[in-house]
Amino acid sequence: MISLCVSDLTHEYDERLVFRSVSLEFEGSCLSITGHNGSGKSTLMRILAGLLTPTQGRAEFSCDGMRVARDSLRNMVGLAAPDVGLYGELSARENLAFLSSVRFGRIDSKRIERTLESVGLAERSDDPVNELSSGLRQRACFAAAILHEPPILLLDEPSSNLDDRGVAMLKELIALQKERGMVIIATNDASEAALAQETLRLGVAH
């Protein structure tokens, strides 16, 4: 069982307050984070992923009662976000091959093929990422985030560039992740937020 504890979390950029004293205790399979543009959803996701250190407070995951150390987050968390890009000159398959070699010390071709299939990208997997449509690039980002089958998946505005088929694929991905562990969705889409057991609303008093 995975749980998340956010305690008195505050973050500033160049003395601009993003959010203040955010606290939450969550134990479940799906959490949504909502809030107006600029409320700090993406910033919070980067903090949860271990990519950003908060100005104050802490955000910690625990697995079966054991706290996940910050240097272990890389293996525990997958993040799909607009500002976490792939190498545009490489294909989706080549991007995953690179990630596989970094994560596993080898190119796991079977895992790569399985991942590409799961996001519906197998037929376009050899095209350079920068030649793909925005929706297919989004699928490639999902593939990179789930390649290592992380117990914690962070999705930042995941359906923003998807068509109806892409949204259906996304819901399947979220359902699978709920079975595997925890998924956290930063979104202002009511249908996505409705998939969660609990919602954290930024931009309101905590």
Side-chain angles (χ1 to χ4, degrees):
M1 177 64 72
I2 298 172
S3 61
L4 170 64
C5 179
V6 177
S7 179
D8 197 29
L9 202 67
T10 297
H11 196 73
E12 298 177 353
Y13 283 120
D14 298 325
E15 299 184 354
R16 180 181 69 83
L17 181 67
V18 181
F19 49 71
R20 174 187 287 124
S21 300
V22 175
S23 295
L24 170 77
E25 290 191 10
F26 177 73
E27 185 175 291
S29 61
C30 189
L31 171 72
S32 66
I33 301 173
T34 65
H36 59 78
N37 292 342
S39 62
K41 297 188 299 296
S42 295
T43 297
L44 179 54
M45 295 291 266
R46 291 179 67 83
I47 290 172
L48 295 179
L51 300 177
L52 188 63
T53 300
T55 304
Q56 178 180 307
R58 62 188 178 90
E60 295 177 339
F61 290 101
S62 294
C63 184
D64 295 329
M66 299 292 292
R67 184 180 66 84
V68 177
R70 184 183 177 87
D71 58 5
S72 299
L73 284 174
R74 175 177 170 274
N75 296 321
M76 293 285 292
V77 173
L79 171 64
D83 58 350
V84 179
L86 301 174
Y87 293 103
E89 67 275 15
L90 302 181
S91 68
R93 189 190 309 279
E94 289 169 333
N95 270 282
L96 295 191
F98 172 74
L99 290 174
S100 177
S101 65
V102 171
R103 285 192 175 277
F104 312 125
R106 63 187 180 88
I107 297 176
D108 189 335
S109 298
K110 289 184 178 180
R111 183 189 290 260
I112 290 171
E113 294 306 315
R114 185 170 68 245
T115 303
L116 290 168
E117 287 282 353
S118 70
V119 299
L121 201 57
E123 294 183 1
R124 299 291 303 276
S125 58
D126 292 317
D127 295 350
V129 168
N130 58 15
E131 293 182 8
L132 298 176
S133 67
S134 58
L136 293 181
R137 287 197 299 272
Q138 188 87 322
R139 290 174 184 250
C141 287
F142 294 153
I146 66 174
L147 178 66
H148 59 303
E149 299 180 355
I152 303 164
L153 180 61
L154 308 179
L155 302 174
D156 190 357
E157 304 288 354
S159 66
S160 58
N161 296 309
L162 299 180
D163 58 16
D164 290 344
R165 292 177 61 187
V167 170
M169 176 277 301
L170 173 63
K171 289 182 177 178
E172 291 179 5
L173 187 155
I174 291 172
L176 178 61
Q177 184 63 31
K178 285 181 175 182
E179 297 177 2
R180 178 184 293 151
M182 179 184 291
V183 56
I184 300 177
I185 311 168
T187 182
N188 282 326
D189 184 300
S191 63
E192 287 177 2
L195 300 173
Q197 298 155 309
E198 189 172 330
T199 297
L200 172 64
R201 293 178 175 82
L202 298 180
V204 298
H206 292 278

